[in-house]
Amino acid sequence: MTKLEQAGSLMFKDYPDCVSIKQLQQMLGIKKTKSYELIKNHKINAVKIGKDYKISKLNVIAFVLGEEQL
């Protein structure tokens, strides 16, 4: 198990493996515009499916820890 996966089992354990913009806001305590800014500037990797973004919880944790994202 990698360091990132270990952190994932502790941090944000109440969130699913793939989160929405709204959940990202809750996780980081930020507003919607800041969430979209982080994604647009490739600070947090996300995948756009239709009109919605999906973000790997591990990428959020990597962002918080300052590590490379998946």
Side-chain angles (χ1 to χ4, degrees), residues 21-22 24-25 29-39:
I21 290 289
K22 186 172 185 167
L24 177 65
Q25 291 174 243
I30 58 178
K31 299 207 181 266
K32 185 188 288 188
T33 53
K34 183 65 175 179
S35 298
Y36 283 111
E37 181 183 312
L38 290 171
I39 290 169

Side-chain angles (χ1 to χ4, degrees), residues 10-65:
L10 300 173
M11 295 176 71
F12 308 122
K13 62 183 177 184
D14 295 332
Y15 288 91
D17 291 339
C18 188
V19 298
S20 65
I21 290 289
K22 186 172 185 167
Q23 289 168 319
L24 177 65
Q25 291 174 243
Q26 295 168 346
M27 293 166 86
L28 299 180
I30 58 178
K31 299 207 181 266
K32 185 188 288 188
T33 53
K34 183 65 175 179
S35 298
Y36 283 111
E37 181 183 312
L38 290 171
I39 290 169
K40 180 182 174 189
N41 294 327
H42 306 286
K43 302 286 184 180
I44 296 179
N45 293 336
V47 174
K48 190 168 186 180
I49 301 175
K51 61 180 182 172
D52 299 322
Y53 283 97
K54 297 297 178 186
I55 306 110
S56 167
K57 179 169 66 173
L58 290 178
N59 283 345
V60 178
I61 293 167
F63 170 76
V64 170
L65 297 176

